[in-house]
Amino acid sequence: MLTQLASFQNIGLQSEKIIVEVGIHNGEAKMHIVGLGDTAVQESKRRVWLALRSSGYHVGTCKVTTVNLAPADIRKSGPRYDLPIALGIMRANGILETPEHALASMAFLGELALDGSLRHVTGVLSAAIACRELGMRTIVVPAVNGAEAALIPGLTVIAAENLHEVVSILHREQEPKSIATPAAAPRAPCGAVDFADVRGQQHAKRALEIAAGGGHNVLLSGAPGAGKTLLARAFRGILPPLSKEESIEVTQVYSVANLLPHDAPLLRERPFRLVHHTASGVSIVGGGQVPKPGEITLAHCGVLFLDELAEFPAQVLEVLRQPLEDREITITRAQGSVTFPADFIMIAAMNPARYNAASAQRIRRRISQPLLDRIDLTINVQAVAVEDLQRKPAQQSESSAAILRRVIAARRLQARRFADMSIRTNNEMGVKQIDALCPLDDSTRQLLRQAVERMGLSARAYHRTIKVARTIADIAGDENIEAAHVAEALQYRQGVGE
């Protein structure tokens, strides 16, 4: 007898439908799993047999069981196929009596413990999205994954504690448990830093407000103890809340990376990823035999903070150039290519050159000009004056909440501007969008022309300056880009350590 059940395999953030075919015939009791499965898939043989016996289901002892995971050219990984394999064996042996047509509209994912209980698996949100897109009506997952799958509307989610409960629900002997509305993950501690707590640094605060308003990349250069890290941590507090679409995207990333909180699967806060200079290129961009998201993908829709930028190896920094431009990263392996999203704001911090040729040359070797071109705002963070340090609380600068209101207003202008496009912020504009949406008058063009000649700006830096000027105008509530906006944008295109 042959039976088929559906499951899903994660490929990047996408999920491909996998058909789990189970066939039996007389012979010595053995199980064969074919279909390009990894070690975890092959080890499911013992897990499934013992889980079936522990759950009270006795399958034929004189039969050969063959499990085929189709299509055979897609590499299968992880223990997610335990549940569909077990149910397929039960149906092939006449234990599971659910009709074939009823199973055809259902998908199954879950790792089996030896006692038959179901354990957490990764990437359930991606599988639920694919399930709905393919017109399938029901997805069966472990109870711990139930709230995650329930994030997708229009899909019936069966979240079970063990194999016996799944069989009872399929036999209509009991009703599925209701799933509570998924809770939001708690706010991360790094969002607790308020700009009002940062003494002085008005120039840097203004630049970070512009960065938040248009999604621009920032380099903070200054002496140790000037407040660069504190400014970076406060930056997250002036970013607008995630939209529903962005929240699902971020949650999907963390689900695939197995970093999603089980008790609060929906992420509503923008990620803040702090990367140490000892991190490898693979850990930053992602990779592995089965490609997994790296730091730039975990920072999607949020902030990637590179502290001590000049201490990163040059080859590690160079891998950032493509994702900073394309807002995605493609990882190629022998088995194929996987693309992960990487739409983040990069904030980098570094100590300036020590005013000698050797130090400056070392920085230039590690931080290439093409990478610097992709940084829109460079700020020299000066040491805080004693007067600012001794300022009373009542005399502190404006709070993050006040800055956030201006940022949200600027983002709303951009949402209307890009309503018919696939971009969200000014930083995402290409040359065509800049030409169409950022007209400049003669005096502003002349100012830019002089800046290109004097500062030696590249074509990329030229267009990025216009995008920053567009954000400055949005924050001010101005419809057109004026010379003053461009002049301020040019102030932030200074060299490292100058």
Side-chain angles (χ1 to χ4, degrees), residues 317-318 320-321 324 367-375:
L317 293 179
E318 288 304 293
L320 293 172
R321 286 167 53 179
L324 281 172
I367 309 174
S368 66
Q369 189 59 44
L371 179 62
L372 290 175
D373 275 351
R374 290 166 170 82
I375 296 175

Side-chain angles (χ1 to χ4, degrees), residues 47-82:
R47 289 195 301 271
V48 168
W49 282 127
L50 288 174
L52 286 169
R53 293 176 181 176
S54 298
S55 302
Y57 303 114
H58 301 284
V59 297
T61 57
C62 298
K63 294 180 180 178
V64 177
T65 302
T66 301
V67 179
N68 180 39
L69 305 178
D73 61 338
I74 295 178
R75 182 170 293 278
K76 322 303 186 304
S77 61
R80 62 179 55 227
Y81 303 105
D82 288 6

Side-chain angles (χ1 to χ4, degrees), residues 206 444 447 465 468-474 476-492:
R206 168 64 175 171
T444 305
L447 176 61
T465 299
V468 172
R470 178 65 269 175
T471 300
I472 294 171
D474 288 342
D478 295 332
E479 182 177 352
N480 298 317
I481 299 176
E482 301 174 359
H485 304 140
V486 173
E488 183 178 359
L490 288 169
Q491 293 179 13
Y492 302 115

